[in-house]
């Protein structure tokens, strides 16, 4: 990791630089990064101006011609070496991530362990990009279809799974021959610096990957400047639907393509023939893993009426095992997340919802334990709002049609789960649920590089994962007379 600079006195938290052209880039101002678990100012990070941003764009433009023509085996070797470096540095990376985001040790371990696998998987796919030689309708004329990188790509990654989603945001564009500017989340910029440094140490050439960050107050100005800049050819963003709409709107104004992976309101359907204990644990982990701060988190549990009372007891048992009262409280990214969930629960309870597990108003600072409620109705805010926290609602239905109506009665469509021993029924549900993924007898939180990943409706468009390389090349048709 690059050397650090202390602020005004020796005991002050360190200030970390941007990385432009593979070099430390210091700025005139910085912003504080605090540990949400205790409010401690753990370090500061350099805050980019328009001038700093333009320097990153210039570096990426300059690096593009050599990078896009670099043989795929050489790109592959850089990715594989970077994966090894990430693994060797995992303890340090986990420590940084936990300080910046308040993540539990188990989540930090998972996040850092999957990131190297993304690099290895993408490395193995680099040579699969290929064009074609189609038949033409004109006699004596032949054609070639090339696949070429877009150019300079803007990647915007979130804080909740900073290694997985950060590495994913840059690996696919880089592998396809694009150069990248990574706009790090202001809540976890040092985590982003960790994996960017690993790629540079692995041999990524100067300017191919540049890291910028900025204070929250400068977000709109810097982001709009990046999107509008003529050198930026495509954008990927993972984050909230509200911000995704703003980015899509700005990109649309400049006719630039965007890959968006946004929010979710994932349903889990539990049918009467399901293994209730396994389904209950799948719903609990799917709802409360990482404090529910995952875009694929289960937010609606839809259970058949014939087993509703039995499943409710199984659910209570599962949550007691997964998050016992004597275990540490889950830490959300900030106190605002707790306030939001408490407000959603308060509104629901005032309109007739009841608590199955937990305390709707318990929670101090950024810490909050899981809460399960039932008797939720459409007029309650929690029915439609993504909680992005440790709350989940339980519903009872009597038919497959009713289950599907409830599962689809949301603007979101990222992930979902179905629990049943009848595969034919599970596949019927899978065809009917409006989401980018359906996991039969598995929790809604499921993402791997071997599979396409993305949503429908307000959960975004475009796909990471197995089809991810194709997202980052465009075709060029060439015809010639024989």
């Amino acid at each position: 990791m690059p050397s650090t600079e202390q602020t005004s006195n020796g005991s002050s938290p360190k200030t970390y630089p941007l990385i432009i052209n593979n070099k430390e880039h210091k700025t005139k101002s910085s912003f504080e990064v605090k540990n949400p678990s205790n409010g401690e100012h753990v370090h500061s990070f350099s805050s980019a101006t328009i001038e700093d941003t333009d320097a990153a764009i210039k570096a990426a433009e300059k690096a593009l011609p050599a990078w896009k023509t670099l043989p795929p085996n050489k790109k592959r070797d850089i990715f594989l070496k970077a994966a090894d470096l990430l693994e060797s540095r995992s303890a340090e990376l986990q420590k940084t991530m936990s300080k910046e985001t308040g993540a539990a040790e188990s989540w930090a371990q998972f996040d850092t362990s999957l990131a190297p696998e993304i690099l290895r998987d993408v490395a193995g796919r680099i040579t699969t990009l290929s064009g074609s030689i189609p038949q033409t309708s004109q006699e004596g004329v032949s054609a070639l279809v090339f696949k070429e990188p877009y150019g300079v790509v803007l990647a915007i990654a979130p804080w909740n799974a900073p290694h997985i989603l950060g590495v994913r945001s840059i690996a696919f564009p880089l592998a396809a021959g694009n150069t990248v500017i990574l706009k790090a989340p202001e809540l976890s910029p040092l985590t982003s610096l960790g994996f960017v440094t690993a790629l540079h140490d692995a041999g990524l050439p100067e300017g191919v990957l540049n890291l910028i960050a900025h204070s929250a107050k400068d977000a709109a100005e810097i982001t709009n400047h990046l999107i509008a800049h003529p050198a930026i050819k495509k954008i990927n963003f993972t984050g909230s639907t509200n911000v995704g709409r703003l980015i899509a709107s700005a990109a649309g104004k400049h006719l630039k393509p965007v890959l968006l992976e946004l929010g979710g309101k994932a349903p889990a359907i539990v049918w009467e023939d399901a293994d209730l204990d396994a389904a209950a644990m799948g719903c609990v982990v799917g709802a409360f893993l990482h404090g529910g701060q995952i875009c694929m988190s289960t937010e609606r549990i839809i259970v058949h009426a014939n087993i509703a009372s039995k499943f409710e007891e199984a659910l209570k048992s599962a949550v007691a095992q997964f998050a016992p009262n004597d275990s540490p409280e889950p830490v959300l990214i900030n106190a605002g997340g707790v306030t939001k969930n408490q407000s959603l629960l308060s509104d629901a309870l005032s309109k007739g919802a009841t608590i199955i597990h937990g305390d709707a108003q318990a929670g101090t600072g950024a810490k909050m334990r899981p809460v399960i409620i039932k008797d939720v109705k459409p007029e309650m805010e929690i029915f439609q709002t993504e909680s992005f926290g440790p709350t989940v609602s339980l519903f009872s239905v009597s038919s497959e049609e009713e289950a599907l109506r409830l599962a689809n009665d949301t603007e979101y469509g990222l992930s979902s789960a179905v629990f049943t021993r009848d595969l034919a029924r599970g596949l019927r549900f899978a065809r009917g649920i409006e989401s980018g993924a359906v996991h039969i007898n598995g929790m809604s939180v499921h993402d791997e590089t071997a599979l396409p990943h993305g949503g429908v409706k307000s959960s975004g468009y475009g796909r990471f994962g197995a089809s991810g390389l194709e997202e980052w090349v465009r075709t060029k048709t060439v015809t010639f007379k024989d």
Side-chain angles (χ1 to χ4, degrees):
M1 188 169 290
S3 61
T4 59
E5 177 190 11
Q6 291 186 319
T7 51
S8 58
N9 62 70
S11 62
S12 298
K14 295 177 180 179
T15 298
Y16 291 86
L18 310 181
I19 301 294
I20 297 176
N21 228 17
N22 293 34
K23 299 178 179 66
E24 295 183 13
H25 183 94
K26 299 174 184 177
T27 58
K28 295 178 181 178
S29 63
S30 61
F31 58 92
E32 294 183 356
V33 179
K34 295 184 177 181
N35 184 334
S37 65
N38 56 23
E40 176 191 0
H41 175 196
V42 290
H43 49 253
S44 294
F45 209 88
S46 297
S47 184
T49 63
I50 295 297
E51 291 74 20
D52 300 317
T53 303
D54 284 342
I57 294 171
K58 184 178 179 180
E61 281 188 288
K62 184 179 180 181
L64 179 63
W67 177 249
K68 71 179 182 180
T69 57
L70 189 72
N73 62 312
K74 293 187 177 180
K75 293 187 177 80
R76 176 202 64 201
D77 291 347
I78 292 170
F79 276 43
L80 293 176
K81 185 175 180 180
D84 292 341
L85 289 173
L86 283 178
E87 281 192 340
S88 70
R89 300 171 183 177
S90 61
E92 179 187 359
L93 296 173
Q94 290 165 25
K95 184 179 179 181
T96 298
M97 175 184 166
S98 293
K99 281 186 176 182
E100 289 193 316
T101 68
E105 182 180 353
S106 58
W107 181 252
Q109 289 174 346
F110 173 75
D111 187 61
T112 55
S113 68
L114 189 55
E117 292 307 308
I118 294 173
L119 289 174
R120 292 188 179 108
D121 184 271
V122 175
R125 298 178 189 274
I126 290 176
T127 56
T128 65
L129 281 173
S130 60
S132 61
I133 307 176
Q135 295 292 322
T136 68
S137 58
Q138 297 184 43
E139 186 175 348
V141 175
S142 296
L144 302 172
V145 177
F146 299 152
K147 288 185 179 178
E148 299 180 335
Y150 280 84
V152 181
V153 165
L154 170 61
I156 309 175
W159 53 266
N160 57 326
H163 294 98
I164 295 172
L165 302 182
V167 168
R168 183 185 73 176
S169 75
I170 62 176
F172 290 99
L174 288 173
N178 303 276
T179 56
V180 176
I181 296 169
L182 173 64
K183 195 169 83 70
E186 61 264 26
L187 297 172
S188 60
L190 187 56
T191 299
S192 299
L193 182 62
F195 62 76
V196 167
T197 300
L199 278 155
H200 288 164
D201 290 347
L204 200 67
E206 288 187 3
V208 172
L209 173 61
N210 304 278
L211 173 71
I212 67 168
H214 53 71
S215 62
K217 67 180 179 63
D218 295 328
E221 180 186 24
I222 297 297
T223 304
N224 286 327
H225 179 75
L226 281 161
I227 293 172
H229 198 288
I232 301 294
K233 302 302 183 184
K234 189 169 181 177
I235 303 106
N236 75 66
F237 170 77
T238 301
S240 73
T241 294
N242 287 339
V243 176
R245 287 192 175 100
L246 295 174
I247 288 173
S249 177
K253 179 181 177 181
H254 299 284
L255 297 178
K256 295 185 180 182
V258 189
L259 192 168
L260 299 172
E261 198 237 276
L262 308 176
K265 191 76 178 173
I269 298 174
V270 182
W271 218 240
E272 56 186 329
D273 63 341
D275 179 327
L276 296 192
D277 290 335
M281 187 57 74
C283 289
V284 162
V285 179
F288 302 132
L289 185 65
H290 194 32
Q293 299 174 116
I294 304 171
C295 50
M296 298 172 282
S297 292
T298 301
E299 297 229 355
R300 290 180 179 173
I301 303 172
I302 303 166
V303 60
H304 195 285
N306 290 348
I307 58 163
S309 58
K310 289 183 179 179
F311 185 73
E312 190 174 315
E313 293 306 311
L315 206 57
K316 293 177 185 177
S317 176
V319 73
Q321 294 176 57
F322 180 74
N325 288 332
D326 59 354
S327 63
E329 288 181 283
V331 178
L332 305 193
I333 190 62
N334 53 41
V338 173
T339 301
K340 174 185 177 181
N341 277 264
Q342 289 175 338
S343 176
L344 291 172
L345 291 167
S346 178
D347 173 76
L349 294 173
S350 72
K351 295 174 181 176
T354 56
I355 292 179
I356 294 174
H357 173 86
D359 183 342
Q361 292 307 309
T364 55
K367 298 177 181 180
M368 183 177 181
R369 293 194 181 279
V371 178
I372 306 172
I373 60 173
K374 65 177 181 178
D375 304 320
V376 174
K377 300 176 179 62
E379 60 267 24
M380 300 172 183
E381 290 180 35
I382 201 169
F383 186 86
Q384 292 290 359
T385 302
E386 180 189 22
S387 71
F388 210 67
T391 61
V392 69
S393 305
L394 180 65
F395 300 84
S396 175
V397 297
S398 299
S399 68
E400 292 184 19
E401 293 75 18
E402 190 181 0
L404 282 173
R405 280 197 302 272
L406 185 54
N408 292 332
D409 188 6
T410 170
E411 67 171 309
Y412 300 105
L414 184 59
S415 187
S416 57
V418 177
F419 295 90
T420 176
R421 287 188 171 94
D422 184 339
L423 182 58
R425 176 180 288 113
L427 292 173
R428 281 199 304 275
F429 276 130
R431 289 183 180 278
I433 296 174
E434 297 168 349
S435 69
V438 182
H439 305 290
I440 300 173
N441 293 322
M443 65 177 173
S444 60
V445 179
H446 186 130
D447 180 19
E448 54 183 288
T449 53
L451 303 172
H453 181 72
V456 299
K457 301 193 289 189
S458 291
S459 289
Y461 44 78
R463 293 293 182 266
F464 288 105
S467 57
L469 287 183
E470 294 293 334
E471 284 278 358
W472 300 103
V473 291
R474 53 190 176 190
T475 60
K476 176 184 285 183
T477 300
V478 178
T479 65
F480 58 93
K481 292 184 178 181
D482 296 339

